[in-house]
Amino acid sequence: MPFASATAQDGTPTFQIFQFPADGMPRIDGDAADWAMVPQSYAVTTAHMTENDGKHAGPNPATLDISVKVGWVKGLNRLYFLYEAYDDYWDFALPGLHNDTFEVVVDGDASGGPLIDNGHKDVWTPDVVGAARAVRDPRISVAEAHWANHGVHAQNYHVFTPARDKDWTMAWGSPTWIKAFPYANAKVEYDFQPGQAGRLTLEFWITPYDYAGAEGPERAVESVLRENKLIGLGWVVIDYDDVKKSENNGFWTLSKQRRMFGNASDLPLFRLMPMEAGSRRSPDAQWSFTVVDMDRRLVAFRDESAGDIRSWKWDFGDGSFSTEQHPQHSYAKPGNYVVILDVTGADGTARRSKVWDVQLR
């Protein structure tokens, strides 16, 4: 499936996030085999990125070659990443920020706006080199701006590639808890030493948040992921090539806006895609229900089947039936009911039974 055609004003395309089936979600073990089902058209490579410091005219796979695939699973508010990279010089000997880095920024509701502490208010002025710089509202203290805003509505992960003797990532902001399990998980595989060339495979997942405060997960609000939703997502690859030099050898951004790491409005958009035809059996009968009125025992049923469905047959478990796609049914008596949906599609038939899910009193 090709990239969507929509592009940002700066020409950045809308990318795609692959939907894994629930029984095929990636195991976080540093092995890319789980990603074999993901079409290559989902891969975002160095060719899609811009070196924003003017140190390279364009990508050179002989020195740095990157491929990123992003996935999701319907029903889980997680983003899965497969980061595969070749570098002719892996720099990860030091304990601080000087480390080859895959810096991921996610804005799960695409609300935009600055996410770093010095951008508490949405006021921006051009600086001397034409980039955007946040100006803090003087009525807000530096501390208040930091704790109220830094990484709260959008999150920035400095993922160290690889991390040696330190956490797998720095969560740049006040909610540092977001990098720990069960809110994230990561595993990397590589066979090189600092200063050597080689290939690295990194698997991880993160939880995007509409609100993630410094106080911890108790009041956090996860971003709800659903099919066809657009989210803000982008990354920077910071390439260091010499521990003796503080300056990096390349600052590669997926967005053409260098400040995307601090302003979610500059992030590219990614679409949470429906499941690919080859990833699930077709047809696949699925359904849900809502009790509309318990006193009248009125239940609304909703078909959620996948595939080219041509007909439906509902058995409500009380001797009543319907051929509507989304029927309502009023039960005469209290009870626990076995409800069955049979669907017929272009590719065959399927059935989904739920035992005693519908409980009426």
Side-chain angles (χ1 to χ4, degrees):
M1 186 177 292
F3 285 136
S5 59
T7 57
Q9 291 184 356
D10 64 3
T12 304
T14 297
F15 299 100
Q16 294 180 334
I17 301 178
F18 177 81
Q19 185 180 155
F20 284 96
D23 59 358
M25 68 180 69
R27 178 181 174 86
I28 305 303
D29 55 6
D31 185 348
D34 293 340
W35 294 76
M37 71 175 73
V38 183
Q40 188 58 28
S41 59
Y42 282 82
V44 184
T45 68
T46 324
H48 295 102
M49 303 181 70
T50 301
E51 204 289 296
N52 259 295
D53 285 349
K55 296 174 181 176
H56 302 274
N60 179 1
T63 59
L64 182 65
D65 193 22
I66 298 160
S67 175
V68 184
K69 293 179 179 178
V70 189
W72 74 296
V73 177
K74 191 174 182 178
L76 291 179
N77 298 324
R78 294 178 179 178
L79 293 175
Y80 292 82
F81 291 81
L82 174 66
Y83 178 76
E84 298 176 294
Y86 169 81
D87 196 347
D88 65 341
Y89 186 107
W90 287 99
D91 195 335
F92 59 103
L94 301 179
L97 277 177
H98 183 114
N99 198 121
D100 285 332
T101 302
F102 179 49
E103 181 180 0
V104 176
V105 184
V106 59
D107 180 11
D109 59 4
S111 57
L115 59 121
I116 57 176
D117 51 3
N118 66 358
H120 181 68
K121 291 296 181 181
D122 224 349
V123 181
W124 300 83
T125 57
D127 65 15
V128 293
V129 295
R133 181 178 61 194
V135 177
R136 178 177 51 82
D137 188 321
R139 296 170 298 178
I140 307 298
S141 72
V142 173
E144 287 175 315
H146 177 88
W147 298 114
N149 184 69
H150 193 112
V152 171
H153 80 280
Q155 295 79 49
N156 181 308
Y157 299 79
H158 279 255
V159 183
F160 301 117
T161 53
R164 188 171 78 167
D165 301 327
K166 54 189 170 187
D167 283 356
W168 72 278
T169 185
M170 178 191 76
W172 189 24
S174 52
T176 58
W177 53 268
I178 62 174
K179 66 182 176 179
F181 190 83
Y183 316 108
N185 198 18
K187 183 68 167 64
V188 66
E189 289 292 334
Y190 63 95
D191 59 1
F192 46 78
Q193 295 298 319
Q196 294 181 345
R199 294 191 174 275
L200 173 144
T201 299
L202 169 68
E203 279 188 295
F204 66 95
W205 59 260
I206 57 175
T207 306
Y209 292 93
D210 294 344
Y211 173 80
E215 67 276 6
E218 292 78 13
R219 292 200 306 127
V221 179
E222 295 183 4
S223 302
V224 176
L225 304 184
R226 61 180 184 275
E227 285 186 0
N228 291 310
K229 181 180 181 179
L230 290 171
I231 67 170
L233 177 64
W235 47 78
V236 181
V237 173
I238 307 173
D239 183 29
Y240 290 94
D241 275 3
D242 190 341
V243 294
K244 297 179 181 179
K245 295 181 180 180
S246 59
E247 186 178 358
N248 64 64
N249 185 49
F251 193 88
W252 298 85
T253 62
L254 187 57
S255 168
K256 290 181 170 58
Q257 307 302 319
R258 192 184 193 282
R259 293 277 306 188
M260 55 143 280
F261 64 84
N263 188 349
S265 297
D266 292 333
L267 291 173
L269 293 177
F270 278 70
R271 187 179 299 277
L272 296 158
M273 298 301 294
M275 196 172 293
E276 294 276 342
S279 299
R280 70 189 310 171
R281 68 186 185 95
S282 181
D284 184 17
Q286 297 287 347
W287 57 273
S288 62
F289 73 97
T290 302
V291 177
V292 178
D293 187 332
M294 183 61 79
D295 291 336
R296 292 188 293 150
R297 293 183 286 275
L298 178 62
V299 182
F301 294 91
R302 180 170 183 80
D303 169 56
E304 297 176 348
S305 302
D308 184 6
I309 308 301
R310 307 293 176 85
S311 65
W312 300 261
K313 181 181 178 182
W314 294 85
D315 179 344
F316 297 123
D318 64 349
S320 301
F321 302 88
S322 174
T323 57
E324 296 179 31
Q325 182 179 7
H326 307 298
Q328 289 193 358
H329 180 63
S330 183
Y331 287 83
K333 298 178 180 180
N336 299 329
Y337 293 95
V338 177
V339 179
I340 304 167
L341 171 62
D342 289 291
V343 297
T344 301
D347 300 316
T349 62
R351 167 175 286 195
R352 177 64 58 174
S353 168
K354 296 187 186 230
V355 179
W356 287 11
D357 275 25
V358 179
Q359 305 175 31
L360 301 169
R361 296 293 178 263

